[in-house]
Amino acid sequence: MKYLKGIQASPGIAIAPVYLYDPEEFPVDQRRIDPSDIPVEKARLEEAIRAVSEDFAATRAHVEDILGKEHAQIFDAHLLILQDPMLLELTYPHIEKYNAEYAFWTTFQNLRRQFEAFQDDYLRERGADLLGIAKRVLAKLGNWEKVGLDRLPDKAIVVARDLMPDDMAHLQPDRVLGLVTEVGGSTSHAIILARGLEIPAVVSVANALSDARTGDIAIVDGRRGDFILNPDDKTLAQYRGLAERLRKRKAGLVDSRDLPAQTEDGVQVALQANVELPSEVHSAMDYGAEGVGLYRTEYLYLASDILPDEASQVTAYSQMARRIAPRPLVIRTLDLGGDKMSHVLNTQTEMNPFLGLRSIRLTLRHRDLFKVQLRAILKASAVGNVKLMLPLISGIDELREALAVLDDVREELTREGVPFDPQCPVGVMIEVPSAALIADQLAQEVDFFSIGTNDLIQYTLAVDRGNDLVSYLFEPFHPAVLRLIKCVVDAAHAENIPVTVCGEIAGDPHSGLLLVGMGVDKLSMTPSALPEVKRAIRNTSFKQLQALGEDVLNMQEIADIRVRVNATLSDDDDEMFIGGESGETTLQMRLSLF
Ligand code: PEP
Ligand code: MG
């Protein structure tokens, strides 16, 4: 038995065999061939190259349609490489001895080594493009047996160095029982999705890949941040009992879904759900969400090999809006970039992607793409209670530019006689300190605010939200963060518009209560967090929470703020997080979730 320690990232217990996951793993079949098979192998290779060229030409046309010529050019480069006669000339000598797959792979590895030796960054990156091309040709040759999270052989705890949102977008929730990564932070987008899907996860576990082997039985304890390999019988029995207890407790909490989220002195707080995949709407409703406060639409793009067109977006948004109505569905426009890279968009590699062409900046750069999404959202507004939300706004000019595009789209639809809700509310996410500081100006232009604290904390404290080396600095109770939140709430209320918090801190009962005390009107969170937050709200008075909100704004030390916030929840409320089995203090552990 071996205990490995990490950071708790998604609560719950998983007990299952390990599956080591390496997205780059690419086994290539090596076979000696008979001289009589040489022509057959050459023909197979030529056919595979022809088929991949056709695929690239089709993708090229699609990307040019949606994003314009400039972005389609990368596929011209791919086609040039594939159609260069040199490629076959270099490969044929290997086919004298080996099967087409292995021969082709050998050629590509040689070429890649040459590219990697270049000094120039641009040329080195083209080496990575080569790998992508090679994989496609090998896939056509029928060699590609790559196991993704969509094709796990069995139920497993997935152990990986890191996970990206597009790995997760393809994941089969019934096979992936737990997640463990060697790096990464608990507000990285892949982990947020794990919480949405209620998959227990632990991040930042040093040596997880070298200590674990595929097939080892393991336990993931997402509440404590433990990863236990080959547990003995006693430990296994203890954890099985604990898992059962947690399951029962959760079932009991779900029973409270129809009770109002109302404080003892009668103040109602709207509790809503964050969803990434349409399938999560189901659990949002089960847990009693009063609507969806954040739909992260980028997963539609990450889960697909082509850019979703207007019709498929209208279908996705309308189905969701109908299911939730009359409750609201807040649809956030595309927030790609940062750690959410779409290979379809072929976004350039950036030095600091979280400070780069991300989110609203990306969509304003690609107007056609933006307009397609805005049209789809507005069309869905005809069938449900849809609200539209713009992410990562950092200044008034940027907001006005986005609103002008929206006006164009409204006019277009009106001209075409397409029904939509002309009053469809428009809000902005406050995720950048500059936006928080000019919240009074922004509040005059929109119908609501939603504070994205995952990014607001990251940008205020200069701490990469996905970097485990600095995760100890990712601190929601930092006085600077609390002051910015207060500034946003005051500005919104002065203009009579509501404020939601939809970052991960909304789903923690402690910070959730504090936000209510600071005047936040709605909390939007991962669905499974709803019952605990509701329970906490129902067990306190608003008066008490207001006093808490006022007190913390006068405090300087994070530790003092924690103690003050902690005193608001009764001990009993801690059970879900730590299982009540050890005497350890839980607050530090719970807060490190955020
Ligand atoms: C946030 O930044 O808090 C937020 C909700 O957006 P995301 O986590 O998708 O960046
Ligand atoms: Mg954000």
Side-chain angles (χ1 to χ4, degrees):
M1 175 157 94
K2 184 157 196 176
Y3 267 92
L4 298 179
K5 192 81 199 147
I7 298 176
Q8 55 274 69
S10 174
I13 308 280
I15 306 172
V18 163
Y19 182 84
L20 294 188
Y21 173 63
D22 177 0
E24 286 300 309
E25 187 184 331
F26 201 68
V28 175
D29 214 21
Q30 179 183 6
R31 258 183 310 113
R32 285 234 171 224
I33 58 162
D34 220 62
S36 61
D37 286 337
I38 293 174
V40 180
E41 292 299 296
K42 285 186 175 171
R44 281 181 64 228
L45 178 61
E46 285 160 21
E47 173 53 25
I49 290 179
R50 197 193 52 72
V52 176
S53 303
E54 268 180 28
D55 287 354
F56 277 141
T59 312
R60 189 201 176 288
H62 179 69
V63 170
E64 183 170 340
D65 263 4
I66 296 184
L67 296 178
K69 260 202 165 58
E70 181 199 339
H71 285 269
Q73 275 168 3
I74 183 78
F75 295 100
D76 289 333
H78 289 7
L79 282 167
L80 272 178
I81 294 172
L82 273 178
Q83 288 163 356
D84 190 330
M86 272 263 293
L87 194 60
L88 289 176
E89 279 165 30
L90 289 170
T91 308
Y92 284 158
H94 303 300
I95 292 191
E96 303 290 317
K97 286 193 201 135
Y98 293 107
N99 53 323
E101 291 85 341
Y102 186 72
F104 187 70
W105 185 235
T106 309
T107 303
F108 257 89
Q109 277 184 311
N110 292 341
L111 283 175
R112 197 177 163 198
R113 270 193 287 275
Q114 289 172 22
F115 272 83
E116 278 170 357
F118 287 126
Q119 292 291 325
D120 184 282
D121 283 349
Y122 178 80
L123 287 175
R124 267 207 311 279
E125 273 167 26
R126 302 288 71 77
D129 290 350
L130 280 179
L131 181 68
I133 298 171
K135 284 183 175 180
R136 283 185 177 244
V137 174
L138 289 168
K140 287 282 181 208
L141 282 167
N143 188 259
W144 197 0
E145 284 307 319
K146 177 172 154 43
V147 177
L149 294 184
D150 54 338
R151 291 174 48 193
L152 282 191
D154 216 335
K155 292 186 176 184
I157 289 171
V158 171
V159 180
R161 177 161 165 73
D162 198 4
L163 287 168
M164 289 293 126
D166 60 337
D167 293 316
M168 298 290 288
H170 294 94
L171 155 159
Q172 280 172 295
D174 55 333
R175 292 260 162 114
V176 181
L177 302 192
L179 291 170
V180 174
T181 63
E182 285 193 338
V183 298
S186 57
T187 53
S188 71
H189 286 100
I191 293 302
I192 288 176
L193 186 54
R195 280 199 284 276
L197 297 171
E198 294 182 55
I199 301 174
V202 179
V203 297
S204 191
V205 180
N207 303 325
L209 280 173
S210 49
D211 285 344
R213 263 178 309 207
T214 293
D216 282 352
I217 295 296
I219 299 170
V220 173
D221 182 346
R223 308 155 318 138
R224 291 178 194 269
D226 288 344
F227 178 42
I228 307 167
L229 283 168
N230 302 311
D232 57 27
D233 289 349
K234 187 166 160 249
T235 311
L236 255 184
Q238 266 175 357
Y239 269 94
R240 288 207 171 109
L242 185 55
E244 183 54 19
R245 240 166 32 90
L246 290 179
R247 198 192 56 71
K248 284 200 182 128
R249 180 183 158 106
K250 203 171 207 175
L253 284 170
V254 170
D255 289 346
S256 74
R257 72 174 154 216
D258 297 325
L259 296 174
Q262 187 173 315
T263 59
E264 285 163 344
D265 46 354
V267 174
Q268 287 236 206
V269 184
L271 298 187
Q272 300 180 325
N274 294 349
V275 301
E276 289 77 36
L277 306 174
S279 59
E280 287 172 272
V281 169
H282 190 68
S283 75
M285 297 300 113
D286 278 355
Y287 283 117
E290 296 164 49
V292 168
L294 167 64
Y295 170 30
R296 293 180 161 103
T297 55
E298 50 278 3
Y299 282 88
L300 264 185
Y301 291 69
L302 293 170
S304 163
D305 284 337
I306 53 164
L307 292 171
D309 59 11
E310 184 178 319
S312 59
Q313 290 187 58
V314 174
T315 308
Y317 305 153
S318 305
Q319 276 175 356
M320 216 187 261
R322 278 202 193 92
R323 277 219 56 205
I324 296 166
R327 289 163 288 203
L329 167 64
V330 179
I331 305 181
R332 174 174 80 180
T333 63
L334 254 188
D335 184 28
L336 283 175
D339 61 351
K340 287 178 285 197
M341 292 306 186
S342 161
H343 60 280
V344 193
L345 272 177
N346 259 305
T347 34
Q348 251 175 300
T349 310
E350 295 172 283
M351 190 76 96
N352 292 304
F354 272 110
L355 300 181
L357 194 61
R358 178 189 170 196
S359 197
I360 192 76
R361 304 168 183 185
L362 188 83
T363 40
L364 284 175
R365 178 71 64 93
H366 301 301
R367 291 297 163 95
D368 292 347
L369 183 81
F370 193 32
K371 281 188 163 176
V372 166
Q373 184 173 38
L374 293 177
R375 283 176 64 92
I377 296 173
L378 285 181
K379 282 186 175 180
S381 74
V383 302
N385 183 0
V386 168
K387 303 181 189 205
L388 190 152
M389 184 156 79
L390 302 166
L392 210 79
I393 292 292
S394 62
I396 200 98
D397 296 338
E398 196 174 42
L399 172 62
R400 288 186 181 149
E401 202 180 328
L403 293 177
V405 181
L406 184 61
D407 276 344
D408 288 351
V409 170
R410 282 200 192 100
E411 265 172 38
E412 246 172 59
L413 292 177
T414 310
R415 263 200 316 275
E416 292 166 21
V418 176
F420 66 95
D421 173 10
Q423 309 299 331
C424 172
V426 178
V428 292
M429 288 192 73
I430 305 288
E431 320 189 75
V432 186
S434 58
L437 293 169
I438 55 157
D440 55 335
Q441 297 169 4
L442 297 174
Q444 293 172 24
E445 316 252 335
V446 291
D447 303 305
F448 64 93
F449 280 162
S450 190
I451 309 179
T453 44
N454 306 335
D455 279 315
L456 188 63
I457 297 169
Q458 148 166 278
Y459 295 126
T460 304
L461 304 179
V463 178
D464 179 345
R465 61 193 270 188
N467 183 342
D468 53 316
L469 298 175
V470 288
S471 58
Y472 67 100
L473 290 171
F474 194 89
E475 180 48 76
F477 291 162
H478 191 296
V481 173
L482 298 179
R483 281 189 193 182
L484 286 177
I485 293 174
K486 175 81 172 102
C487 165
V488 176
V489 171
D490 289 348
H493 290 171
E495 284 298 323
N496 281 320
I497 64 168
V499 191
T500 305
V501 170
C502 63
E504 295 301 294
I505 66 168
D508 170 73
H510 287 81
S511 37
L513 287 184
L514 173 59
L515 293 168
V516 174
M518 289 173 70
V520 168
D521 305 290
K522 302 176 194 180
L523 301 175
S524 191
M525 63 198 77
T526 193
S528 61
L530 285 158
E532 288 286 352
V533 174
K534 185 190 283 186
R535 190 166 104 112
I537 289 173
R538 290 176 59 83
N539 285 343
T540 20
S541 73
F542 186 62
K543 219 165 136 226
Q544 206 183 342
L545 295 182
Q546 272 184 316
L548 169 69
E550 277 164 27
D551 284 358
V552 297
L553 285 168
N554 292 319
M555 293 180 172
Q556 295 180 356
E557 304 245 346
I558 292 161
D560 293 343
I561 296 177
R562 278 191 181 148
V563 170
R564 177 70 180 87
V565 174
N566 196 24
T568 316
L569 267 191
S570 67
D571 286 349
D572 180 42
D573 289 319
D574 286 340
E575 194 187 16
M576 188 70 172
F577 294 89
I578 209 67
E581 294 214 333
S582 83
E584 286 169 81
T585 171
T586 62
L587 184 61
Q588 175 65 40
M589 301 177 83
R590 184 179 27 247
L591 288 175
S592 64
L593 257 177
F594 305 107

